[in-house]
Amino acid sequence: MRILRLSTLMLGSALGAAAPLAFAFAQSTPAPGANAPAAGTPPQGALPQGANVPAAKPDPVVARVNGRDEHLSDLENLAQNLPEQLRNMPPNMLYPILIDQIIDRDLLVQRARKENLQKDPAVKHEMEDAADMALQNALINRAVAPAITEQALQAAYQKEIAGKPGEEEVHARHILVPTEAAADNVIKELQGGADFATLAKKDSTDPAGANGGDLGWFKKGDMLPEFSDAAFALKPGQFTTKPVHTRYGWHVIQVVERRTAPPQTFAEARDQLRQKAIQDAVQKEIEEARKGAQIERFNLDGSPVRPTDQAEPPGMPGAEPPPPGGKTP
């Protein structure tokens, strides 16, 4: 909101040059699970009757602004959304600055309410949007947090990666030319004993040509299907005897080596597993929300959407990989 943005700028000037970029806390979304209960704290209602309830963490008041209390937990939540280098500042340096910001924010909010700005239609709409976003984030955070614990990621690794054979890879070169006839000529020269790397440097229009057409190691899914199918059909030392056509032109491909890549270690796969866990959890939450929902779609002029209106516009397929030389056919 505008008030928080102003507070952010003020805080930036207080901390110096690094702060304007760092203190975007007013617009940042807490990391999934950031506000979840501490490890080992049972959820509310989980303890049997009569059980010893852990003592609540002290949460003293750190500021009072016209009767509104601000607590230590408010500072901690604010600090939690800061960049790491600022979170690591000593609390006795960071927290007084944050207290000043909270005080300034409260004073401005109270003044705005006194002037009934919350009743302004534009402000009211913005406040409703902010409330909706907070609810959405709370629901998503609740769904995502259990899926990205170290224990959950380790379990996913054991299930999906550990103990399974690695994916096949090839180390290949290619020569890219604009016409099929030019590719045929390259093949004839190779069959006559010409050196592949030399021809790539001379004839290829792909950036990899400067490096003898070398594309390094890649998996089948890294390239366009027609390119991968041709490359993975070759044995080491072989080259394609027919030009391979993709949307980038005509290719002559040579496989240098083949191998089965070792399975990823947990450390190598962790970020990928975490991202997948987040996506899966969010998608599951969306699917649950859609069950039984009544959804109507309308065109931009307000007229009902017909089934044909929802077809994918021409020329807008899903993302495609780039061409081979930039490691992207």
Side-chain angles (χ1 to χ4, degrees):
M1 294 187 60
R2 298 188 190 96
I3 291 170
L4 294 182
R5 293 191 187 112
L6 176 59
S7 181
T8 299
L9 292 175
M10 295 164 63
L11 180 56
S13 63
L15 285 179
L21 178 62
F23 281 84
F25 61 84
Q27 303 177 59
S28 63
T29 301
N35 297 320
T41 302
Q44 188 174 6
L47 290 174
Q49 189 171 3
N52 292 326
V53 179
K57 179 183 176 182
D59 192 17
V61 173
V62 295
R64 183 172 290 123
V65 184
N66 293 326
R68 176 188 172 98
D69 288 349
E70 298 291 355
H71 294 262
L72 178 63
S73 60
D74 298 312
L75 291 181
E76 292 171 341
N77 289 337
L78 201 58
Q80 199 169 49
N81 295 323
L82 299 176
E84 184 177 0
Q85 67 270 27
L86 295 174
R87 287 200 308 270
N88 291 334
M89 286 178 62
N92 64 338
M93 294 178 59
L94 178 62
Y95 280 14
I97 299 173
L98 295 183
I99 290 173
D100 285 342
Q101 294 309 299
I102 287 178
I103 291 172
D104 291 345
R105 179 198 65 189
D106 285 353
L107 288 170
L108 291 172
V109 169
Q110 290 172 14
R111 182 175 179 181
R113 288 190 179 278
K114 187 175 181 180
E115 296 180 13
N116 288 319
L117 289 181
Q118 72 274 20
K119 297 180 181 179
D120 179 277
V123 175
K124 187 176 181 180
H125 181 71
E126 191 172 354
M127 291 172 69
E128 290 170 351
D129 283 349
D132 286 347
M133 182 62 70
L135 286 170
Q136 172 188 290
N137 288 343
L139 185 68
I140 293 301
N141 288 345
R142 187 184 68 180
V144 166
I148 59 173
T149 63
E150 284 300 301
Q151 184 178 3
L153 294 178
Q154 285 279 5
Y157 174 77
Q158 293 299 324
K159 179 181 178 181
E160 299 173 21
I161 298 174
K164 295 184 178 179
E167 196 171 347
E168 189 179 10
E169 295 180 326
V170 297
H171 173 198
R173 298 171 177 161
H174 84 133
I175 297 171
L176 176 66
V177 290
T179 66
E180 184 176 13
D184 281 329
N185 287 335
V186 168
I187 291 170
K188 288 178 182 176
E189 290 188 68
L190 290 171
Q191 290 172 333
D195 178 68
F196 194 99
T198 301
L199 288 183
K201 291 177 181 178
K202 178 171 70 76
D203 296 331
S204 184
T205 61
D206 187 80
N211 194 31
D214 197 338
L215 297 173
W217 290 96
F218 58 87
K219 297 177 175 65
K220 199 163 188 178
D222 292 341
M223 300 293 184
L224 291 173
E226 52 267 45
F227 189 95
S228 283
D229 288 346
F232 278 80
L234 299 172
K235 295 178 180 179
Q238 289 183 334
F239 55 84
T240 49
T241 55
K242 292 183 179 180
V244 177
H245 186 244
T246 71
R247 64 177 179 272
Y248 298 103
W250 295 87
H251 308 260
V252 179
I253 306 167
Q254 181 190 50
V255 165
V256 182
E257 302 173 85
R258 299 179 71 111
R259 72 181 182 188
T260 298
Q264 288 180 301
T265 64
F266 175 73
E268 292 169 338
R270 187 183 183 283
D271 288 347
Q272 172 188 335
L273 289 168
R274 187 177 187 278
Q275 189 60 36
K276 183 178 184 298
I278 291 171
Q279 292 172 349
D280 289 348
V282 171
Q283 187 59 38
K284 182 179 179 181
E285 203 66 31
I286 291 172
E287 290 171 359
E288 287 295 320
R290 283 180 172 269
K291 287 181 180 177
Q294 296 181 356
I295 301 171
E296 298 177 81
R297 295 181 183 273
F298 300 89
N299 293 312
L300 296 181
D301 61 2
S303 60
V305 174
R306 298 169 299 175
T308 53
D309 293 334
Q310 299 187 51
E312 186 178 53
M316 301 233 1
E320 297 178 340
K327 194 93 181 257
T328 49

